[in-house]
Amino acid sequence: PDGGGRVFNCLLNGGAFSDMRARGLHGIFVMINDNLLAKVADPFFLGFSLHQRSHVVMKCMTRRGGDEKVGLLCSEDGNAHATTEDGVQRVQIVRRPRVIETTEFPAELAQKLTLDTDYEYRCGALGQYFIKLHAVAHIVKKMERRWHGIPMHMSFFDPARRVLRHPAPRVKNALRLEQFIG
């Protein structure tokens, strides 16, 4: 599919989720990348996920180096919510989690250290999730509007010269469109 998140659309529209519900399943383990070393359906992760009673749980790791090729789990400002309590109005900015692709994260920020010599952005997203089935329809609905462009280095066919052309190293000459969870 076109991006890790589109797997949900495929499963939902293909009838797999209806089948899962009919079988009495409550959640699924999803791995959206090609990590040969990953522990598929890691029992510790699944047990932790069930214990958390959350709709979506993401497996993460502590980055050991600023050049590790993992997405970074960060938070971004969401919507402001106003509440009134005892006649006093309070405004709260709700922060929401977001994974930023390693290719899009500025290198100087990826290398930035705290005073404790730890990486400021140290939470690496592994692309492994436990998701409750009832949350899937909401995820799919939200993702229908969220396309993400990733600059790529791609060889291409030049029809005028009838040859395969290779761009200079590090030149991003193409855009891959994907949909992500989230």
Side-chain angles (χ1 to χ4, degrees):
D2 43 2
R6 288 288 286 188
V7 69
F8 297 108
N9 199 320
C10 296
L11 293 173
L12 188 65
N13 293 334
F17 280 115
S18 297
D19 181 60
M20 290 178 199
R21 280 195 179 122
R23 293 173 188 238
L25 296 177
H26 298 285
I28 58 171
F29 172 81
V30 177
M31 187 166 68
I32 60 170
N33 55 24
D34 53 355
N35 182 351
L36 296 175
L37 301 176
K39 190 180 244 182
V40 177
D42 176 3
F44 180 79
F45 176 62
L46 293 178
F48 174 81
S49 300
L50 291 170
H51 182 71
Q52 293 302 307
R53 298 183 181 183
S54 296
H55 302 293
V56 178
V57 180
M58 178 190 316
K59 190 172 187 180
C60 296
M61 61 169 257
T62 302
R63 292 175 53 234
R64 293 188 196 122
D67 58 348
E68 282 185 296
K69 301 293 183 197
V70 294
L72 297 168
L73 180 61
C74 304
S75 61
E76 68 179 352
D77 289 340
N79 298 326
H81 297 280
T83 58
T84 304
E85 218 175 280
D86 299 329
V88 178
Q89 187 174 23
R90 292 180 176 83
V91 176
Q92 177 185 10
I93 306 266
V94 177
R95 298 185 67 82
R96 62 183 197 169
R98 177 174 179 221
V99 175
I100 299 177
E101 286 295 305
T102 185
T103 57
E104 299 173 330
F105 203 78
E108 62 274 5
L109 286 180
Q111 302 285 345
K112 188 174 180 183
L113 299 174
T114 65
L115 293 176
D116 299 329
T117 66
D118 198 2
Y119 288 102
E120 186 167 326
Y121 297 96
R122 62 184 166 271
C123 190
L126 296 176
Q128 298 176 37
Y129 302 87
F130 177 77
I131 302 174
K132 299 272 179 88
L133 286 184
H134 68 268
V136 170
H138 175 72
I139 291 170
V140 169
K141 185 177 178 182
K142 191 175 179 182
M143 285 177 22
E144 288 175 352
R145 304 179 306 269
R146 296 185 68 189
W147 284 93
H148 183 81
I150 299 174
M152 302 290 294
H153 174 90
M154 303 274 308
S155 298
F156 61 95
F157 181 72
D158 181 348
R161 295 192 177 135
R162 305 183 110 198
V163 296
L164 186 63
R165 305 206 58 187
H166 307 283
R170 299 186 186 158
V171 170
K172 308 291 186 187
N173 64 329
L175 192 63
R176 181 176 73 204
L177 293 177
E178 293 188 347
Q179 287 190 320
F180 294 143
I181 297 172

